[in-house]
Amino acid sequence: MHKFEREFAVAEMVCIVENVFEDGEWAILEWKDPLGLRGCGFFHVIDGKIKFQRGYWDQLTFLRQQGLPIPVE
């Protein structure tokens, strides 16, 4: 199991949509959770299907909220 799979498997998350932007075949979704975690997703949609998706979120806030270890490099 990948590290992020383990972290997300134990996390309790609720995503609230803040904004959705669309321009042709591209869409952006901004979200937050009730505890302050924030993120966004970028989607390339062709013929009504997501062909590409990339997301960003605040990993440090997520780890702190969930009481998970913070990696030290």
mmCIF file with all atom_site columns, all heavy atoms in Angstrom, residues 32-56:
data_model
loop_
_atom_site.group_PDB
_atom_site.id
_atom_site.type_symbol
_atom_site.label_atom_id
_atom_site.label_alt_id
_atom_site.label_comp_id
_atom_site.label_asym_id
_atom_site.label_entity_id
_atom_site.label_seq_id
_atom_site.pdbx_PDB_ins_code
_atom_site.Cartn_x
_atom_site.Cartn_y
_atom_site.Cartn_z
_atom_site.occupancy
_atom_site.B_iso_or_equiv
_atom_site.pdbx_formal_charge
_atom_site.auth_seq_id
_atom_site.auth_comp_id
_atom_site.auth_asym_id
_atom_site.auth_atom_id
_atom_site.pdbx_PDB_model_num
ATOM 1   N N   . LYS A 1 32 ? -12.593 22.892 0.267   1.00 0.00 ? 32 LYS A N   1
ATOM 2   C CA  . LYS A 1 32 ? -12.063 22.989 1.629   1.00 0.00 ? 32 LYS A CA  1
ATOM 3   C C   . LYS A 1 32 ? -12.805 21.971 2.472   1.00 0.00 ? 32 LYS A C   1
ATOM 4   O O   . LYS A 1 32 ? -13.822 21.427 2.046   1.00 0.00 ? 32 LYS A O   1
ATOM 5   C CB  . LYS A 1 32 ? -12.240 24.392 2.200   1.00 0.00 ? 32 LYS A CB  1
ATOM 6   C CG  . LYS A 1 32 ? -13.678 24.777 2.445   1.00 0.00 ? 32 LYS A CG  1
ATOM 7   C CD  . LYS A 1 32 ? -13.792 26.143 3.060   1.00 0.00 ? 32 LYS A CD  1
ATOM 8   C CE  . LYS A 1 32 ? -15.256 26.499 3.298   1.00 0.00 ? 32 LYS A CE  1
ATOM 9   N NZ  . LYS A 1 32 ? -15.393 27.792 3.938   1.00 0.00 ? 32 LYS A NZ  1
ATOM 10  N N   . ASP A 1 33 ? -12.267 21.713 3.653   1.00 0.00 ? 33 ASP A N   1
ATOM 11  C CA  . ASP A 1 33 ? -13.021 20.884 4.594   1.00 0.00 ? 33 ASP A CA  1
ATOM 12  C C   . ASP A 1 33 ? -13.344 21.730 5.818   1.00 0.00 ? 33 ASP A C   1
ATOM 13  O O   . ASP A 1 33 ? -12.807 22.826 5.979   1.00 0.00 ? 33 ASP A O   1
ATOM 14  C CB  . ASP A 1 33 ? -12.287 19.579 4.920   1.00 0.00 ? 33 ASP A CB  1
ATOM 15  C CG  . ASP A 1 33 ? -11.174 19.727 5.930   1.00 0.00 ? 33 ASP A CG  1
ATOM 16  O OD1 . ASP A 1 33 ? -10.852 20.863 6.339   1.00 0.00 ? 33 ASP A OD1 1
ATOM 17  O OD2 . ASP A 1 33 ? -10.603 18.712 6.326   1.00 0.00 ? 33 ASP A OD2 1
ATOM 18  N N   . PRO A 1 34 ? -14.244 21.266 6.680   1.00 0.00 ? 34 PRO A N   1
ATOM 19  C CA  . PRO A 1 34 ? -14.655 22.088 7.829   1.00 0.00 ? 34 PRO A CA  1
ATOM 20  C C   . PRO A 1 34 ? -13.519 22.445 8.777   1.00 0.00 ? 34 PRO A C   1
ATOM 21  O O   . PRO A 1 34 ? -13.631 23.403 9.535   1.00 0.00 ? 34 PRO A O   1
ATOM 22  C CB  . PRO A 1 34 ? -15.692 21.207 8.535   1.00 0.00 ? 34 PRO A CB  1
ATOM 23  C CG  . PRO A 1 34 ? -16.208 20.288 7.478   1.00 0.00 ? 34 PRO A CG  1
ATOM 24  C CD  . PRO A 1 34 ? -15.039 20.037 6.569   1.00 0.00 ? 34 PRO A CD  1
ATOM 25  N N   . LEU A 1 35 ? -12.407 21.706 8.744   1.00 0.00 ? 35 LEU A N   1
ATOM 26  C CA  . LEU A 1 35 ? -11.287 21.979 9.649   1.00 0.00 ? 35 LEU A CA  1
ATOM 27  C C   . LEU A 1 35 ? -10.238 22.912 9.045   1.00 0.00 ? 35 LEU A C   1
ATOM 28  O O   . LEU A 1 35 ? -9.265  23.248 9.698   1.00 0.00 ? 35 LEU A O   1
ATOM 29  C CB  . LEU A 1 35 ? -10.621 20.667 10.055  1.00 0.00 ? 35 LEU A CB  1
ATOM 30  C CG  . LEU A 1 35 ? -11.524 19.658 10.766  1.00 0.00 ? 35 LEU A CG  1
ATOM 31  C CD1 . LEU A 1 35 ? -10.773 18.362 11.025  1.00 0.00 ? 35 LEU A CD1 1
ATOM 32  C CD2 . LEU A 1 35 ? -12.069 20.244 12.057  1.00 0.00 ? 35 LEU A CD2 1
ATOM 33  N N   . GLY A 1 36 ? -10.416 23.316 7.778   1.00 0.00 ? 36 GLY A N   1
ATOM 34  C CA  . GLY A 1 36 ? -9.498  24.274 7.180   1.00 0.00 ? 36 GLY A CA  1
ATOM 35  C C   . GLY A 1 36 ? -8.569  23.737 6.112   1.00 0.00 ? 36 GLY A C   1
ATOM 36  O O   . GLY A 1 36 ? -7.806  24.502 5.524   1.00 0.00 ? 36 GLY A O   1
ATOM 37  N N   . LEU A 1 37 ? -8.596  22.426 5.867   1.00 0.00 ? 37 LEU A N   1
ATOM 38  C CA  . LEU A 1 37 ? -7.773  21.874 4.795   1.00 0.00 ? 37 LEU A CA  1
ATOM 39  C C   . LEU A 1 37 ? -8.310  22.384 3.469   1.00 0.00 ? 37 LEU A C   1
ATOM 40  O O   . LEU A 1 37 ? -9.515  22.484 3.275   1.00 0.00 ? 37 LEU A O   1
ATOM 41  C CB  . LEU A 1 37 ? -7.828  20.347 4.824   1.00 0.00 ? 37 LEU A CB  1
ATOM 42  C CG  . LEU A 1 37 ? -6.992  19.617 3.772   1.00 0.00 ? 37 LEU A CG  1
ATOM 43  C CD1 . LEU A 1 37 ? -5.495  19.880 3.991   1.00 0.00 ? 37 LEU A CD1 1
ATOM 44  C CD2 . LEU A 1 37 ? -7.277  18.127 3.811   1.00 0.00 ? 37 LEU A CD2 1
ATOM 45  N N   . ARG A 1 38 ? -7.412  22.734 2.548   1.00 0.00 ? 38 ARG A N   1
ATOM 46  C CA  . ARG A 1 38 ? -7.821  23.289 1.266   1.00 0.00 ? 38 ARG A CA  1
ATOM 47  C C   . ARG A 1 38 ? -7.108  22.568 0.139   1.00 0.00 ? 38 ARG A C   1
ATOM 48  O O   . ARG A 1 38 ? -6.008  22.047 0.319   1.00 0.00 ? 38 ARG A O   1
ATOM 49  C CB  . ARG A 1 38 ? -7.511  24.775 1.203   1.00 0.00 ? 38 ARG A CB  1
ATOM 50  C CG  . ARG A 1 38 ? -8.165  25.563 2.322   1.00 0.00 ? 38 ARG A CG  1
ATOM 51  C CD  . ARG A 1 38 ? -7.801  27.014 2.244   1.00 0.00 ? 38 ARG A CD  1
ATOM 52  N NE  . ARG A 1 38 ? -8.609  27.702 1.256   1.00 0.00 ? 38 ARG A NE  1
ATOM 53  C CZ  . ARG A 1 38 ? -9.844  28.149 1.454   1.00 0.00 ? 38 ARG A CZ  1
ATOM 54  N NH1 . ARG A 1 38 ? -10.426 27.950 2.596   1.00 0.00 ? 38 ARG A NH1 1
ATOM 55  N NH2 . ARG A 1 38 ? -10.501 28.778 0.510   1.00 0.00 ? 38 ARG A NH2 1
ATOM 56  N N   . GLY A 1 39 ? -7.745  22.582 -1.039  1.00 0.00 ? 39 GLY A N   1
ATOM 57  C CA  . GLY A 1 39 ? -7.117  21.989 -2.208  1.00 0.00 ? 39 GLY A CA  1
ATOM 58  C C   . GLY A 1 39 ? -7.861  22.366 -3.471  1.00 0.00 ? 39 GLY A C   1
ATOM 59  O O   . GLY A 1 39 ? -8.838  23.120 -3.442  1.00 0.00 ? 39 GLY A O   1
ATOM 60  N N   . CYS A 1 40 ? -7.360  21.850 -4.585  1.00 0.00 ? 40 CYS A N   1
ATOM 61  C CA  . CYS A 1 40 ? -8.011  22.107 -5.866  1.00 0.00 ? 40 CYS A CA  1
ATOM 62  C C   . CYS A 1 40 ? -7.712  20.951 -6.810  1.00 0.00 ? 40 CYS A C   1
ATOM 63  O O   . CYS A 1 40 ? -6.749  20.212 -6.643  1.00 0.00 ? 40 CYS A O   1
ATOM 64  C CB  . CYS A 1 40 ? -7.555  23.427 -6.473  1.00 0.00 ? 40 CYS A CB  1
ATOM 65  S SG  . CYS A 1 40 ? -5.808  23.489 -6.842  1.00 0.00 ? 40 CYS A SG  1
ATOM 66  N N   . GLY A 1 41 ? -8.572  20.809 -7.800  1.00 0.00 ? 41 GLY A N   1
ATOM 67  C CA  . GLY A 1 41 ? -8.383  19.789 -8.823  1.00 0.00 ? 41 GLY A CA  1
ATOM 68  C C   . GLY A 1 41 ? -8.535  20.416 -10.193 1.00 0.00 ? 41 GLY A C   1
ATOM 69  O O   . GLY A 1 41 ? -9.358  21.314 -10.387 1.00 0.00 ? 41 GLY A O   1
ATOM 70  N N   . PHE A 1 42 ? -7.740  19.946 -11.123 1.00 0.00 ? 42 PHE A N   1
ATOM 71  C CA  . PHE A 1 42 ? -7.787  20.391 -12.510 1.00 0.00 ? 42 PHE A CA  1
ATOM 72  C C   . PHE A 1 42 ? -8.219  19.206 -13.363 1.00 0.00 ? 42 PHE A C   1
ATOM 73  O O   . PHE A 1 42 ? -7.667  18.117 -13.223 1.00 0.00 ? 42 PHE A O   1
ATOM 74  C CB  . PHE A 1 42 ? -6.410  20.880 -12.968 1.00 0.00 ? 42 PHE A CB  1
ATOM 75  C CG  . PHE A 1 42 ? -5.933  22.077 -12.205 1.00 0.00 ? 42 PHE A CG  1
ATOM 76  C CD1 . PHE A 1 42 ? -5.329  21.939 -10.971 1.00 0.00 ? 42 PHE A CD1 1
ATOM 77  C CD2 . PHE A 1 42 ? -6.116  23.351 -12.727 1.00 0.00 ? 42 PHE A CD2 1
ATOM 78  C CE1 . PHE A 1 42 ? -4.894  23.044 -10.262 1.00 0.00 ? 42 PHE A CE1 1
ATOM 79  C CE2 . PHE A 1 42 ? -5.685  24.466 -12.023 1.00 0.00 ? 42 PHE A CE2 1
ATOM 80  C CZ  . PHE A 1 42 ? -5.080  24.314 -10.786 1.00 0.00 ? 42 PHE A CZ  1
ATOM 81  N N   . PHE A 1 43 ? -9.195  19.410 -14.232 1.00 0.00 ? 43 PHE A N   1
ATOM 82  C CA  . PHE A 1 43 ? -9.774  18.328 -15.005 1.00 0.00 ? 43 PHE A CA  1
ATOM 83  C C   . PHE A 1 43 ? -9.812  18.684 -16.484 1.00 0.00 ? 43 PHE A C   1
ATOM 84  O O   . PHE A 1 43 ? -10.241 19.780 -16.846 1.00 0.00 ? 43 PHE A O   1
ATOM 85  C CB  . PHE A 1 43 ? -11.210 18.056 -14.544 1.00 0.00 ? 43 PHE A CB  1
ATOM 86  C CG  . PHE A 1 43 ? -11.312 17.739 -13.081 1.00 0.00 ? 43 PHE A CG  1
ATOM 87  C CD1 . PHE A 1 43 ? -11.440 18.746 -12.140 1.00 0.00 ? 43 PHE A CD1 1
ATOM 88  C CD2 . PHE A 1 43 ? -11.278 16.425 -12.646 1.00 0.00 ? 43 PHE A CD2 1
ATOM 89  C CE1 . PHE A 1 43 ? -11.531 18.458 -10.788 1.00 0.00 ? 43 PHE A CE1 1
ATOM 90  C CE2 . PHE A 1 43 ? -11.375 16.124 -11.292 1.00 0.00 ? 43 PHE A CE2 1
ATOM 91  C CZ  . PHE A 1 43 ? -11.497 17.144 -10.366 1.00 0.00 ? 43 PHE A CZ  1
ATOM 92  N N   . HIS A 1 44 ? -9.385  17.750 -17.326 1.00 0.00 ? 44 HIS A N   1
ATOM 93  C CA  . HIS A 1 44 ? -9.547  17.874 -18.777 1.00 0.00 ? 44 HIS A CA  1
ATOM 94  C C   . HIS A 1 44 ? -10.682 16.931 -19.149 1.00 0.00 ? 44 HIS A C   1
ATOM 95  O O   . HIS A 1 44 ? -10.548 15.715 -18.994 1.00 0.00 ? 44 HIS A O   1
ATOM 96  C CB  . HIS A 1 44 ? -8.257  17.509 -19.496 1.00 0.00 ? 44 HIS A CB  1
ATOM 97  C CG  . HIS A 1 44 ? -8.279  17.832 -20.950 1.00 0.00 ? 44 HIS A CG  1
ATOM 98  N ND1 . HIS A 1 44 ? -7.360  17.338 -21.822 1.00 0.00 ? 44 HIS A ND1 1
ATOM 99  C CD2 . HIS A 1 44 ? -9.110  18.612 -21.696 1.00 0.00 ? 44 HIS A CD2 1
ATOM 100 C CE1 . HIS A 1 44 ? -7.617  17.781 -23.035 1.00 0.00 ? 44 HIS A CE1 1
ATOM 101 N NE2 . HIS A 1 44 ? -8.679  18.560 -22.981 1.00 0.00 ? 44 HIS A NE2 1
ATOM 102 N N   . VAL A 1 45 ? -11.778 17.501 -19.629 1.00 0.00 ? 45 VAL A N   1
ATOM 103 C CA  . VAL A 1 45 ? -12.991 16.728 -19.912 1.00 0.00 ? 45 VAL A CA  1
ATOM 104 C C   . VAL A 1 45 ? -13.237 16.705 -21.416 1.00 0.00 ? 45 VAL A C   1
ATOM 105 O O   . VAL A 1 45 ? -13.340 17.761 -22.055 1.00 0.00 ? 45 VAL A O   1
ATOM 106 C CB  . VAL A 1 45 ? -14.211 17.339 -19.186 1.00 0.00 ? 45 VAL A CB  1
ATOM 107 C CG1 . VAL A 1 45 ? -15.458 16.516 -19.447 1.00 0.00 ? 45 VAL A CG1 1
ATOM 108 C CG2 . VAL A 1 45 ? -13.947 17.454 -17.697 1.00 0.00 ? 45 VAL A CG2 1
ATOM 109 N N   . ILE A 1 46 ? -13.302 15.516 -21.979 1.00 0.00 ? 46 ILE A N   1
ATOM 110 C CA  . ILE A 1 46 ? -13.567 15.341 -23.409 1.00 0.00 ? 46 ILE A CA  1
ATOM 111 C C   . ILE A 1 46 ? -14.757 14.400 -23.560 1.00 0.00 ? 46 ILE A C   1
ATOM 112 O O   . ILE A 1 46 ? -14.771 13.313 -22.977 1.00 0.00 ? 46 ILE A O   1
ATOM 113 C CB  . ILE A 1 46 ? -12.324 14.778 -24.137 1.00 0.00 ? 46 ILE A CB  1
ATOM 114 C CG1 . ILE A 1 46 ? -11.136 15.731 -23.964 1.00 0.00 ? 46 ILE A CG1 1
ATOM 115 C CG2 . ILE A 1 46 ? -12.634 14.542 -25.607 1.00 0.00 ? 46 ILE A CG2 1
ATOM 116 C CD1 . ILE A 1 46 ? -9.832  15.197 -24.514 1.00 0.00 ? 46 ILE A CD1 1
ATOM 117 N N   . ASP A 1 47 ? -15.750 14.824 -24.323 1.00 0.00 ? 47 ASP A N   1
ATOM 118 C CA  . ASP A 1 47 ? -16.967 14.031 -24.549 1.00 0.00 ? 47 ASP A CA  1
ATOM 119 C C   . ASP A 1 47 ? -17.607 13.587 -23.238 1.00 0.00 ? 47 ASP A C   1
ATOM 120 O O   . ASP A 1 47 ? -18.050 12.448 -23.090 1.00 0.00 ? 47 ASP A O   1
ATOM 121 C CB  . ASP A 1 47 ? -16.666 12.813 -25.437 1.00 0.00 ? 47 ASP A CB  1
ATOM 122 C CG  . ASP A 1 47 ? -16.207 13.206 -26.835 1.00 0.00 ? 47 ASP A CG  1
ATOM 123 O OD1 . ASP A 1 47 ? -16.703 14.236 -27.345 1.00 0.00 ? 47 ASP A OD1 1
ATOM 124 O OD2 . ASP A 1 47 ? -15.359 12.491 -27.401 1.00 0.00 ? 47 ASP A OD2 1
ATOM 125 N N   . GLY A 1 48 ? -17.617 14.469 -22.249 1.00 0.00 ? 48 GLY A N   1
ATOM 126 C CA  . GLY A 1 48 ? -18.274 14.191 -20.979 1.00 0.00 ? 48 GLY A CA  1
ATOM 127 C C   . GLY A 1 48 ? -17.512 13.264 -20.047 1.00 0.00 ? 48 GLY A C   1
ATOM 128 O O   . GLY A 1 48 ? -18.038 12.861 -19.014 1.00 0.00 ? 48 GLY A O   1
ATOM 129 N N   . LYS A 1 49 ? -16.262 12.932 -20.386 1.00 0.00 ? 49 LYS A N   1
ATOM 130 C CA  . LYS A 1 49 ? -15.463 12.037 -19.546 1.00 0.00 ? 49 LYS A CA  1
ATOM 131 C C   . LYS A 1 49 ? -14.154 12.724 -19.148 1.00 0.00 ? 49 LYS A C   1
ATOM 132 O O   . LYS A 1 49 ? -13.537 13.411 -19.957 1.00 0.00 ? 49 LYS A O   1
ATOM 133 C CB  . LYS A 1 49 ? -15.146 10.740 -20.278 1.00 0.00 ? 49 LYS A CB  1
ATOM 134 C CG  . LYS A 1 49 ? -16.376 9.931  -20.583 1.00 0.00 ? 49 LYS A CG  1
ATOM 135 C CD  . LYS A 1 49 ? -16.022 8.627  -21.231 1.00 0.00 ? 49 LYS A CD  1
ATOM 136 C CE  . LYS A 1 49 ? -17.302 7.840  -21.492 1.00 0.00 ? 49 LYS A CE  1
ATOM 137 N NZ  . LYS A 1 49 ? -17.015 6.547  -22.061 1.00 0.00 ? 49 LYS A NZ  1
ATOM 138 N N   . ILE A 1 50 ? -13.751 12.502 -17.911 1.00 0.00 ? 50 ILE A N   1
ATOM 139 C CA  . ILE A 1 50 ? -12.482 13.054 -17.441 1.00 0.00 ? 50 ILE A CA  1
ATOM 140 C C   . ILE A 1 50 ? -11.354 12.251 -18.062 1.00 0.00 ? 50 ILE A C   1
ATOM 141 O O   . ILE A 1 50 ? -11.232 11.055 -17.827 1.00 0.00 ? 50 ILE A O   1
ATOM 142 C CB  . ILE A 1 50 ? -12.393 13.020 -15.903 1.00 0.00 ? 50 ILE A CB  1
ATOM 143 C CG1 . ILE A 1 50 ? -13.494 13.885 -15.288 1.00 0.00 ? 50 ILE A CG1 1
ATOM 144 C CG2 . ILE A 1 50 ? -11.011 13.463 -15.434 1.00 0.00 ? 50 ILE A CG2 1
ATOM 145 C CD1 . ILE A 1 50 ? -13.629 13.734 -13.791 1.00 0.00 ? 50 ILE A CD1 1
ATOM 146 N N   . LYS A 1 51 ? -10.533 12.925 -18.850 1.00 0.00 ? 51 LYS A N   1
ATOM 147 C CA  . LYS A 1 51 ? -9.392  12.277 -19.509 1.00 0.00 ? 51 LYS A CA  1
ATOM 148 C C   . LYS A 1 51 ? -8.096  12.506 -18.748 1.00 0.00 ? 51 LYS A C   1
ATOM 149 O O   . LYS A 1 51 ? -7.135  11.763 -18.909 1.00 0.00 ? 51 LYS A O   1
ATOM 150 C CB  . LYS A 1 51 ? -9.242  12.786 -20.948 1.00 0.00 ? 51 LYS A CB  1
ATOM 151 C CG  . LYS A 1 51 ? -10.431 12.487 -21.819 1.00 0.00 ? 51 LYS A CG  1
ATOM 152 C CD  . LYS A 1 51 ? -10.608 10.992 -21.997 1.00 0.00 ? 51 LYS A CD  1
ATOM 153 C CE  . LYS A 1 51 ? -11.773 10.682 -22.908 1.00 0.00 ? 51 LYS A CE  1
ATOM 154 N NZ  . LYS A 1 51 ? -11.912 9.276  -23.168 1.00 0.00 ? 51 LYS A NZ  1
ATOM 155 N N   . PHE A 1 52 ? -8.065  13.559 -17.926 1.00 0.00 ? 52 PHE A N   1
ATOM 156 C CA  . PHE A 1 52 ? -6.866  13.898 -17.159 1.00 0.00 ? 52 PHE A CA  1
ATOM 157 C C   . PHE A 1 52 ? -7.311  14.638 -15.907 1.00 0.00 ? 52 PHE A C   1
ATOM 158 O O   . PHE A 1 52 ? -8.227  15.459 -15.947 1.00 0.00 ? 52 PHE A O   1
ATOM 159 C CB  . PHE A 1 52 ? -5.958  14.804 -17.996 1.00 0.00 ? 52 PHE A CB  1
ATOM 160 C CG  . PHE A 1 52 ? -4.793  15.365 -17.244 1.00 0.00 ? 52 PHE A CG  1
ATOM 161 C CD1 . PHE A 1 52 ? -3.642  14.623 -17.075 1.00 0.00 ? 52 PHE A CD1 1
ATOM 162 C CD2 . PHE A 1 52 ? -4.844  16.639 -16.709 1.00 0.00 ? 52 PHE A CD2 1
ATOM 163 C CE1 . PHE A 1 52 ? -2.556  15.142 -16.374 1.00 0.00 ? 52 PHE A CE1 1
ATOM 164 C CE2 . PHE A 1 52 ? -3.760  17.165 -16.011 1.00 0.00 ? 52 PHE A CE2 1
ATOM 165 C CZ  . PHE A 1 52 ? -2.624  16.417 -15.848 1.00 0.00 ? 52 PHE A CZ  1
ATOM 166 N N   . GLN A 1 53 ? -6.674  14.316 -14.792 1.00 0.00 ? 53 GLN A N   1
ATOM 167 C CA  . GLN A 1 53 ? -6.966  15.003 -13.541 1.00 0.00 ? 53 GLN A CA  1
ATOM 168 C C   . GLN A 1 53 ? -5.678  15.172 -12.764 1.00 0.00 ? 53 GLN A C   1
ATOM 169 O O   . GLN A 1 53 ? -4.839  14.266 -12.718 1.00 0.00 ? 53 GLN A O   1
ATOM 170 C CB  . GLN A 1 53 ? -7.975  14.223 -12.710 1.00 0.00 ? 53 GLN A CB  1
ATOM 171 C CG  . GLN A 1 53 ? -8.436  14.931 -11.447 1.00 0.00 ? 53 GLN A CG  1
ATOM 172 C CD  . GLN A 1 53 ? -7.546  14.740 -10.239 1.00 0.00 ? 53 GLN A CD  1
ATOM 173 O OE1 . GLN A 1 53 ? -6.866  13.736 -10.098 1.00 0.00 ? 53 GLN A OE1 1
ATOM 174 N NE2 . GLN A 1 53 ? -7.529  15.714 -9.371  1.00 0.00 ? 53 GLN A NE2 1
ATOM 175 N N   . ARG A 1 54 ? -5.524  16.327 -12.168 1.00 0.00 ? 54 ARG A N   1
ATOM 176 C CA  . ARG A 1 54 ? -4.386  16.595 -11.283 1.00 0.00 ? 54 ARG A CA  1
ATOM 177 C C   . ARG A 1 54 ? -4.922  17.400 -10.113 1.00 0.00 ? 54 ARG A C   1
ATOM 178 O O   . ARG A 1 54 ? -5.710  18.306 -10.284 1.00 0.00 ? 54 ARG A O   1
ATOM 179 C CB  . ARG A 1 54 ? -3.311  17.383 -12.017 1.00 0.00 ? 54 ARG A CB  1
ATOM 180 C CG  . ARG A 1 54 ? -2.136  17.761 -11.101 1.00 0.00 ? 54 ARG A CG  1
ATOM 181 C CD  . ARG A 1 54 ? -1.032  18.461 -11.841 1.00 0.00 ? 54 ARG A CD  1
ATOM 182 N NE  . ARG A 1 54 ? -0.394  17.467 -12.709 1.00 0.00 ? 54 ARG A NE  1
ATOM 183 C CZ  . ARG A 1 54 ? 0.173   17.763 -13.872 1.00 0.00 ? 54 ARG A CZ  1
ATOM 184 N NH1 . ARG A 1 54 ? 0.188   18.989 -14.321 1.00 0.00 ? 54 ARG A NH1 1
ATOM 185 N NH2 . ARG A 1 54 ? 0.742   16.817 -14.597 1.00 0.00 ? 54 ARG A NH2 1
ATOM 186 N N   . GLY A 1 55 ? -4.499  17.062 -8.906  1.00 0.00 ? 55 GLY A N   1
ATOM 187 C CA  . GLY A 1 55 ? -4.984  17.769 -7.729  1.00 0.00 ? 55 GLY A CA  1
ATOM 188 C C   . GLY A 1 55 ? -3.856  18.214 -6.831  1.00 0.00 ? 55 GLY A C   1
ATOM 189 O O   . GLY A 1 55 ? -2.772  17.622 -6.814  1.00 0.00 ? 55 GLY A O   1
ATOM 190 N N   . TYR A 1 56 ? -4.133  19.282 -6.103  1.00 0.00 ? 56 TYR A N   1
ATOM 191 C CA  . TYR A 1 56 ? -3.182  19.828 -5.138  1.00 0.00 ? 56 TYR A CA  1
ATOM 192 C C   . TYR A 1 56 ? -3.915  20.051 -3.826  1.00 0.00 ? 56 TYR A C   1
ATOM 193 O O   . TYR A 1 56 ? -5.073  20.449 -3.810  1.00 0.00 ? 56 TYR A O   1
ATOM 194 C CB  . TYR A 1 56 ? -2.620  21.163 -5.638  1.00 0.00 ? 56 TYR A CB  1
ATOM 195 C CG  . TYR A 1 56 ? -1.892  21.046 -6.951  1.00 0.00 ? 56 TYR A CG  1
ATOM 196 C CD1 . TYR A 1 56 ? -2.551  21.271 -8.153  1.00 0.00 ? 56 TYR A CD1 1
ATOM 197 C CD2 . TYR A 1 56 ? -0.559  20.677 -6.983  1.00 0.00 ? 56 TYR A CD2 1
ATOM 198 C CE1 . TYR A 1 56 ? -1.887  21.143 -9.363  1.00 0.00 ? 56 TYR A CE1 1
ATOM 199 C CE2 . TYR A 1 56 ? 0.118   20.544 -8.188  1.00 0.00 ? 56 TYR A CE2 1
ATOM 200 C CZ  . TYR A 1 56 ? -0.555  20.784 -9.371  1.00 0.00 ? 56 TYR A CZ  1
ATOM 201 O OH  . TYR A 1 56 ? 0.098   20.651 -10.572 1.00 0.00 ? 56 TYR A OH  1
#
